[in-house]
């Protein structure tokens, strides 16, 4: 550990302090964000019942006296339908490369599907020398009749000795999984101060919260057609943040839906987002929202870049 890093440490670390990166991968909707939130006991990854909520890679920082685990929440691995989909798959795949352990999450309350076979292929292709952990999630929904068959089916797909039935929602068995992951980390420094839980910046958090509120209030295509750009984020004081955001949609009809009759929908979204941000940031938030049409942004590389979704060439 070098001097610069030492400077930010507030407390002495044990000689065998551990640290490492755990990539959390899995099909959409299996509970990756919920697990990370459960582990961090704080809401940093947005959770919604609709799949593909997590678009970008996010870092969750889990610090104890024994060590520090950097959790990378990845967008779901799935067959891409457009440029945004391609980007999401790339993000997930690149997370494998820098990981000390790969935590594969599956929904054990239902049988493996085609998407789980695809995931298994990707894991065996990219696992390299990384340790692979299999978390059989949503045990709270699992019936006794399905327990054996479903567990066996997933164990066959993802070959590893480290298997943990858990419920990310209730927290059941999550501490056991956590202990095991910590034991598997190599010795290393504390990369971030102990009170930092995320490397997300405020603009990003604000955009994600707004997007989450839209996803929760709309249906069908709209949740996937929305991108949120923070035009301006001003910390006017310690007690007041001023945020102006643009909600991009792909078609005029979608714009109408998001604004709603007499602006009712956008008002609701704004109020819900503001309330949540005020809770998260512990400041008063002044939130201004605009809705703009950006035709087919999901299929346009230039627009994706502008919105911060960068496609990288695979090496
Ligand atoms: P992700 O797409 O893999 O990040 O999945 P999310 O964490 O967003 O979760 C998708 C949905 O599954 C949400 O409605 C969660 O509340 C739900 N969920 C996640 N974990 C569990 C669990 O252990 N039990 C139950 N019953 N629901 C869960
Ligand atoms: Mg997620």
């Amino acid at each position: 550990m070098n001097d610069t890093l030492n400077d930010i440490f507030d407390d002495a670390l044990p000689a065998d302090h551990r640290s490492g990166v755990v990539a959390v991968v899995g099909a959409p909707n299996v509970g990756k964000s919920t697990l990370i939130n459960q582990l961090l006991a704080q809401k940093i990854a947005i959770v919604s019942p609709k799949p593909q909520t997590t678009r970008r890679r996010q870092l969750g920082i889990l610090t104890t006296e024994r060590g520090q685990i950097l959790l990378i929440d990845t967008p779901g691995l799935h067959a891409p339908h457009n440029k945004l989909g391609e980007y999401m798959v790339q993000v997930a795949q690149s997370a494998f490369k820098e990981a000390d352990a790969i935590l594969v999450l599956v929904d054990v309350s239902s049988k493996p599907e085609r998407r789980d076979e695809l995931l298994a292929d990707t894991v065996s292709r990219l696992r390299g020398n990384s340790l692979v952990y299999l978390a059989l999630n949503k045990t709270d929904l699992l019936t006794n009749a399905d327990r054996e068959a479903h567990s066996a089916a997933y164990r066959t797909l993802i070959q590893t000795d480290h298997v943990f039935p858990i419920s990310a929602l209730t927290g059941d068995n999550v501490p056991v999984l956590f202990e095991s992951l910590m034991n598997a980390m190599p010795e290393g420094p504390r990369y971030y101060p102990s009170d930092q839980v995320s490397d997300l910046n405020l603009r990003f958090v604000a955009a994600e919260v707004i997007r989450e509120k839209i996803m929760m209030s709309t249906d069908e295509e709209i949740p996937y057609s929305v991108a949120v750009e923070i035009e301006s984020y001003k910390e006017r004081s310690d007690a007041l943040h001023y945020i102006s955001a643009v909600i991009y949609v792909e078609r005029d009809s979608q714009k109408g839906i998001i604004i709603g009759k007499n602006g009712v929908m956008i008002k609701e979204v704004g109020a819900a987002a503001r309330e949540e941000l005020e809770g998260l940031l512990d400041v008063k938030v002044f939130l201004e929202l605009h809705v703009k049409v950006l035709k087919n942004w999901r299929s346009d590389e230039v627009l994706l870049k502008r919105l911060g979704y960068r496609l990288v060439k695979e090496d």
Side-chain angles (χ1 to χ4, degrees):
M1 169 191 337
N2 64 36
D3 285 346
T4 341
L5 277 172
N6 253 325
D7 286 345
I8 55 172
F9 295 155
D10 31 16
D11 34 22
L13 302 178
D16 63 343
H17 184 271
R18 298 165 182 285
S19 56
V21 172
V22 175
V24 184
V25 297
N29 234 16
V30 294
K32 297 178 294 297
S33 301
T34 307
L35 176 63
I36 291 180
N37 290 340
Q38 180 65 246
L39 284 165
L40 294 171
Q42 267 191 55
K43 184 169 175 175
I44 63 154
I46 63 170
V47 181
S48 109
K50 298 196 177 79
Q52 296 169 37
T53 312
T54 307
R55 278 186 192 157
R56 295 183 228 212
R57 208 174 70 174
Q58 307 181 357
L59 192 63
I61 305 165
L62 200 59
T63 306
T64 68
E65 279 170 18
R66 289 181 57 211
Q68 189 167 63
I69 296 179
L70 310 180
L71 294 158
I72 303 178
D73 183 12
T74 59
L77 288 167
H78 62 111
H81 299 298
N82 53 33
K83 282 270 187 314
L84 178 60
E86 262 177 59
Y87 167 84
M88 289 165 63
V89 173
Q90 280 189 2
V91 170
Q93 293 187 351
S94 71
F96 279 76
K97 295 192 183 139
E98 48 186 284
D100 295 291
I102 297 166
L103 175 58
V104 183
L105 213 63
V106 297
D107 176 355
V108 76
S109 70
S110 58
K111 280 195 292 227
E113 298 164 26
R114 172 102 189 102
R115 63 177 203 176
D116 299 290
E117 286 163 19
L118 287 173
L119 175 70
D121 281 349
T122 309
V123 171
S124 62
R125 200 157 44 80
L126 298 174
R127 68 194 286 176
N129 293 323
S130 302
L131 275 170
V132 172
Y133 279 70
L134 174 60
L136 304 171
N137 191 34
K138 307 200 186 183
T139 50
D140 58 299
L141 299 178
L142 192 58
T143 61
N144 280 328
D146 288 336
R147 193 171 302 268
E148 280 307 311
H150 288 189
S151 303
Y154 284 108
R155 280 167 179 267
T156 307
L157 273 183
I158 309 285
Q159 304 269 329
T160 174
D161 294 333
H162 309 286
V163 184
F164 295 83
I166 61 163
S167 170
L169 194 67
T170 67
D172 193 40
N173 218 31
V174 171
V176 178
L177 167 65
F178 169 68
E179 278 304 311
S180 178
L181 281 171
M182 186 63 94
N183 289 335
M185 293 295 105
E187 284 184 16
R190 188 181 274 175
Y191 292 104
Y192 294 90
S194 55
D195 58 355
Q196 190 172 341
V197 293
S198 162
D199 70 342
L200 298 184
N201 64 38
L202 295 177
R203 296 176 89 96
F204 180 75
V205 170
E208 289 290 275
V209 166
I210 295 164
R211 197 162 62 82
E212 180 190 49
K213 298 310 168 201
I214 297 166
M215 292 191 78
M216 284 163 56
S217 345
T218 56
D219 285 314
E220 297 175 15
E221 257 303 283
I222 291 195
Y224 310 111
S225 308
V226 163
V228 176
E229 185 177 44
I230 304 298
E231 265 185 332
S232 156
Y233 194 120
K234 296 199 179 98
E235 295 175 51
R236 290 255 161 97
S237 73
D238 284 349
L240 175 69
H241 291 191
Y242 168 88
I243 306 166
S244 162
V246 183
I247 298 165
Y248 289 108
V249 290
E250 293 195 311
R251 290 193 298 275
D252 290 324
S253 57
Q254 296 169 338
K255 179 175 173 177
I257 292 170
I258 288 200
I259 290 174
K261 217 178 192 169
N262 300 322
V264 164
M265 176 73 98
I266 191 78
K267 264 189 212 137
E268 262 179 36
V269 165
R274 182 175 48 75
E275 198 171 305
E276 170 138 3
L277 284 168
E278 289 184 337
L280 278 173
L281 308 171
D282 200 21
V283 294
K284 269 236 156 298
V285 169
F286 185 87
L287 181 61
E288 199 177 298
L289 298 176
H290 308 274
V291 185
K292 288 185 186 162
V293 178
L294 209 50
K295 291 232 157 59
N296 299 322
W297 68 267
R298 283 185 295 173
S299 302
D300 183 326
E301 255 181 76
V302 175
L303 290 180
L304 282 170
K305 266 189 197 144
R306 213 180 98 194
L307 295 169
Y309 303 109
R310 205 169 292 274
L311 271 173
V312 290
K313 294 272 174 289
E314 275 219 73
D315 52 31

